[in-house]
Amino acid sequence: GPAAGAPPTKILVRNLPPALQEDAFKAQVDEKYKDGYNWFRYWKGKVAQKEQVLSRAYINFRSPETMGEFCKDFQGHTYADDKGAQYIARVQLAPYQKIPRAKQRLRDRRNNNPNRIQRDSDYKRFLARLEESCTLKAPSEPVTVEDEQAAVIVTPLMAYLKRKSD
């Protein structure tokens, strides 16, 4: 982004026709300012039955002088759509002067060291403990039906319900 105290160089062009295509607007800007800017973002408008949303463009110029020339050229420029409606472009400083960083490419974010966890000592100890706790041990003596009945604990609530049902 811009350095602290640097003059603003990012502008917002509002009131562009909703049907104006990005490539058409960019071609118009590039006629005179092709090498004058380093960042361009276009938001195409929409035409709906209830309301229309106008198009807008954000442009960050390389120098305040180039930005000033662009403002003089485009402020008040009239666009007409195919139905004869006129749109008068408004150029203003962008409220937020920073420009977004370029997105990292997917291949740059990819894990450069796959399967690293399998070599990690903590992970190996975890797997060993997990393996120990998950192994089923066979009982030393076979369990009989009498043993299971002896192991049943009768709670006071169960005794009360049994007495009530008898």
Side-chain angles (χ1 to χ4, degrees):
T9 55
K10 184 175 165 189
I11 54 101
L12 164 60
V13 184
R14 296 184 307 111
N15 293 0
L16 297 172
L20 181 62
Q21 297 296 322
E22 176 178 355
D23 52 354
F25 180 73
K26 194 166 188 199
Q28 186 180 13
V29 172
D30 286 349
E31 284 176 18
K32 185 173 177 183
Y33 300 99
K34 185 169 182 65
D35 297 322
Y37 64 90
N38 58 6
W39 185 80
F40 180 93
R41 180 70 37 89
Y42 187 82
W43 299 95
K44 187 171 179 331
K46 296 177 185 161
V47 179
Q49 288 180 346
K50 292 182 182 177
E51 65 177 337
Q52 69 177 4
V53 177
L54 299 176
S55 299
R56 63 191 188 279
Y58 294 87
I59 306 170
N60 188 63
F61 289 92
R62 297 183 191 280
S63 73
E65 295 77 26
T66 309
M67 181 192 73
E69 288 177 40
F70 178 88
C71 291
K72 287 177 192 166
D73 288 346
F74 279 80
Q75 176 67 28
H77 183 84
T78 304
Y79 291 89
D81 66 7
D82 54 353
K83 296 176 185 157
Q86 291 192 339
Y87 301 88
I88 299 171
R90 299 284 175 232
V91 180
Q92 65 188 58
L93 286 176
Y96 187 67
Q97 284 294 309
K98 292 185 179 180
I99 57 172
R101 287 189 294 224
K103 290 182 182 176
Q104 242 185 345
R105 292 189 180 161
L106 183 61
R107 70 171 187 265
D108 295 340
R109 289 192 314 232
R110 205 177 297 144
N111 186 355
N112 293 332
N113 201 350
N115 303 326
R116 183 171 60 194
I117 194 165
Q118 277 77 6
R119 297 188 304 269
D120 185 63
S121 60
D122 290 334
Y123 182 69
K124 287 178 181 177
R125 282 196 302 274
F126 165 75
L127 285 179
R129 282 197 312 270
L130 189 63
E131 193 67 34
E132 288 172 15
S133 66
C134 289
T135 54
L136 296 174
K137 296 176 181 139
S140 54
E141 296 177 18
V143 178
T144 61
V145 175
E146 294 84 32
D147 291 343
E148 284 184 15
Q149 287 176 346
V152 173
I153 299 171
V154 178
T155 64
L157 178 62
M158 290 170 61
Y160 170 77
L161 291 173
K162 179 137 177 80
R163 283 194 309 271
K164 192 173 180 180
S165 67
D166 289 342

